Amino acid sequence: MTPGTFAAIVAHPDDDAYGISSIVAMHVEDYGFRFVLVHATDGERGSIAEGSGATPETLGSVRREEDRRAWIALGRVPERHEWLGYPDGGLEEVDPEELVSRIAQILAEERPDVVATFGPDGITGHPDHIAIGRATTEAFHQVAGDGGPGLRRLVYGVIRQSMIDRWNRKRVADGLEPWDPETVYHLRGVPDEDIDISIDTSGVAPRVRAAMREHRTQWADMNPPGVSEEVLLKNISRETQVIAWPPRESRKILSGIFEDL
């Protein structure tokens, strides 16, 4: 089908720097593609890399600007970009009904064909990731049930377990602790057999890396010490998701978020 509207609902201004930007980069030249992006927080309590120029007082506004520049570097800015302004690290404390309502309003106005967010594991177990994923899922089902157009697929960005296992072998060999799925901020994987969408993003990986470099305050996360640029490009050369809705009738692995809609 002709690509339609894609909406990504995330917590922080670098959550969209990984899989979301890869997906968008795949559709930069596609007629009919529309991109809606929602950030729940400004990320004002995040890390501050040395030399980034940010301070604890300015970090939120700096990270907003970093995100704006990242999408320019990628080559496609969102047609609609909403900042909900909730406190970084505090999404669990936000009234769930309010959060769901605000997301549902955007979804009802935009009627995206595909909505992407975090799954129950939040990829890293980050409470903000889990909270925004839960609220987006509820909002999606509220709006999808009203009989209107759009909201044809809900996807969660995930990391396949085989990749986590490979990374953990490397970490142990380097004398580091392996990622522990029971520890907050550690990466979590999903079984490879649960993957529903697997996209070859190798052709856009350099563009995605260029966008990632704009998140200068988060430089340590974007450029782990001892990891070569070649490996970093390889790590973002395939994007994987699970389809949270509708239920799959086939275990065919799709190669794009709009495929089979």
Side-chain angles (χ1 to χ4, degrees), residues 160-223:
R160 58 188 183 277
Q161 186 60 47
S162 61
M163 179 173 280
I164 296 289
D165 293 341
R166 185 169 72 248
W167 288 344
N168 275 344
R169 288 193 293 270
K170 178 67 165 57
R171 288 177 66 85
V172 170
D174 291 343
L176 301 173
E177 290 294 322
W179 298 116
D180 178 2
E182 300 301 318
T183 301
V184 178
Y185 308 128
H186 279 221
L187 294 175
R188 283 114 164 103
V190 302
D192 286 33
E193 59 269 23
D194 289 348
I195 299 296
D196 294 305
I197 303 174
S198 181
I199 307 170
D200 179 359
T201 57
S202 57
V204 299
R207 189 183 305 172
V208 172
R209 279 292 292 159
M212 292 170 73
R213 291 188 190 100
E214 295 296 333
H215 292 272
R216 294 185 176 95
T217 59
Q218 310 305 300
W219 197 246
D221 291 337
M222 302 295 177
N223 299 273

Side-chain angles (χ1 to χ4, degrees), residues 163 166-167 170 205 209 224 226-237:
M163 179 173 280
R166 185 169 72 248
W167 288 344
K170 178 67 165 57
R209 279 292 292 159
V227 181
S228 69
E229 184 67 18
E230 180 182 6
V231 170
L232 292 171
L233 284 168
K234 183 178 180 180
N235 288 344
I236 58 172
S237 290

